[in-house]
């Protein structure tokens, strides 16, 4: 018994040490507010609904400030040991594979339902997105910059850290220099909050959302159909209970045709050290439902970004 407890304590200590040693991957990008203010927004047709999203490619090739500003913030983060994803490089790579990403159905029948912004974030696979907004102030011959930095969890888009301030007036009008000086005064506290959030993910799991929908099908399957002594909804919820960190999840909505789970806590990495997304988690559930006792043949996943996935049972 003592040996078992000691083994558990050692495993937990190793996990904590790993989490503390490893830093989250960061990608810096301009905020929606900055893009909208400077005319860098575009429209996206989301199944008949027009959505407005930032046009980062246009911003990069049209703005003289954006890349130098991002470079300055990247430098500050790199100095503190954070791995970085470069926005310009990720956009170029995404454009090169646009035809492949536009495919509706993969070889295994899985569908992709993501907008261009989600595709960018998924490709970059950054743990945290830093959104940056800045404005230039001019008082007499001197300039200053007012900025806001928001650290967002890339899976949930929830804000986990914020830093805002105005730099000291200076005779220089170089925006990257002004911004770096303004940010530098608050950067350490901002980075500490990012790191604490990342360590919390190791301890309590990464948060995702998962939907289960049942469409019309020849087998008359719905979530009330029984397999053994359990309804399908119970089979699914039991699997989620068994495969979440500390059994943490929330069943937000439930009927015979759909289940909506949020605040689902999944491991950060699998047993091979690979990051786990909502789609990975959903695929594992699909494999389970295709096996005994359910043996459901027509079932697939919709990839809706790193932090959200939908499982569809039946015809579509």
């Amino acid at each position: 018994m003592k040996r078992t407890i000691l083994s558990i304590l050692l495993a937990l200590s190793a996990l904590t040490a790993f989490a503390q040693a490893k830093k989250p991957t960061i990608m810096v990008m301009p905020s929606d507010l900055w893009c909208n203010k400077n005319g860098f927004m575009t429209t996206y047709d989301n199944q008949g609904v027009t959505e407005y999203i930032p046009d980062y490619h246009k911003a990069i090739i049209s703005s003289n400030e954006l890349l130098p500003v991002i470079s300055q913030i990247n430098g500050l983060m790199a100095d503190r040991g954070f791995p970085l994803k470069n926005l310009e490089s990720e956009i170029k790579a995404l454009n090169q594979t646009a035809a492949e990403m536009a495919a509706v159905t993969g070889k295994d029948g899985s569908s992709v339902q993501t907008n261009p912004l989600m595709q960018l974030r998924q490709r970059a696979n950054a743990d945290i997105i830093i959104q940056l907004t800045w404005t230039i102030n001019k008082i007499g011959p001197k300039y200053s910059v007012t900025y806001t930095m928001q650290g967002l969890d890339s899976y949930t888009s929830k804000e986990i850290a914020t830093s805002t301030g105005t730099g000291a007036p200076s005779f220089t009008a170089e925006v990257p220099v002004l911004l770096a000086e303004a940010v530098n005064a608050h950067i350490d506290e901002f980075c500490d909050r990012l790191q604490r959030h990342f360590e919390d993910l190791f301890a309590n799991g990464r948060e995702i959302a998962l939907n289960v929908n049942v469409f019309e099908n020849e087998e008359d399957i719905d979530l009330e159909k029984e397999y053994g002594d359990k309804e399908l909804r119970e089979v699914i919820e039991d699997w989620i209970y068994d495969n979440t960190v500390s059994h943490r999840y929330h069943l937000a909505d439930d009927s015979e045709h759909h289940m909506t789970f949020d605040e689902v806590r999944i491991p950060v990495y699998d047993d091979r050290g690979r990051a786990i997304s909502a789609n990975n988690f959903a695929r594992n559930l699909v494999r389970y439902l295709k096996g005994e006792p359910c043996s459901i043949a027509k079932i697939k996943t919709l990839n809706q970004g790193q932090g959200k996935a939908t499982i569809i049972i039946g015809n579509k």
Side-chain angles (χ1 to χ4, degrees), residues 236-266:
I236 291 172
E237 188 169 0
D238 284 350
W239 187 91
I240 298 235
Y241 176 89
D242 290 336
N243 288 274
T244 46
V245 176
S246 301
H247 315 299
R248 295 180 63 181
Y249 66 93
H250 175 235
L251 179 56
D253 199 7
D254 180 22
S255 77
E256 63 180 308
H257 296 298
H258 75 274
M259 301 176 77
T260 301
F261 295 90
D262 58 20
E263 300 177 14
V264 179
R265 293 287 190 148
I266 66 174

Side-chain angles (χ1 to χ4, degrees), residues 248-306:
R248 295 180 63 181
Y249 66 93
H250 175 235
L251 179 56
D253 199 7
D254 180 22
S255 77
E256 63 180 308
H257 296 298
H258 75 274
M259 301 176 77
T260 301
F261 295 90
D262 58 20
E263 300 177 14
V264 179
R265 293 287 190 148
I266 66 174
V268 178
Y269 298 110
D270 64 15
D271 55 4
R272 295 186 179 183
R274 299 174 299 190
I276 301 176
S277 68
N279 192 47
N280 300 140
F281 188 76
R283 283 176 179 270
N284 288 334
L285 174 54
V286 168
R287 292 189 187 98
Y288 177 76
L289 294 176
K290 285 184 175 182
E292 297 291 341
C294 300
S295 301
I296 300 173
K298 293 185 177 180
I299 179 171
K300 61 182 179 180
T301 63
L302 297 181
N303 181 1
Q304 297 174 294
Q306 289 174 287

Side-chain angles (χ1 to χ4, degrees), residues 82-97:
F82 288 90
L84 300 167
K85 295 286 186 174
N86 182 272
L87 177 63
E88 183 182 20
S89 300
E90 296 300 333
I91 289 175
K92 286 181 179 178
L94 188 61
N95 288 340
Q96 289 173 356
T97 58

Side-chain angles (χ1 to χ4, degrees), residues 139-151:
I139 304 176
K142 292 188 176 182
Y143 298 85
S144 67
V145 65
T146 299
Y147 80 93
T148 298
M149 277 199 318
Q150 297 169 290

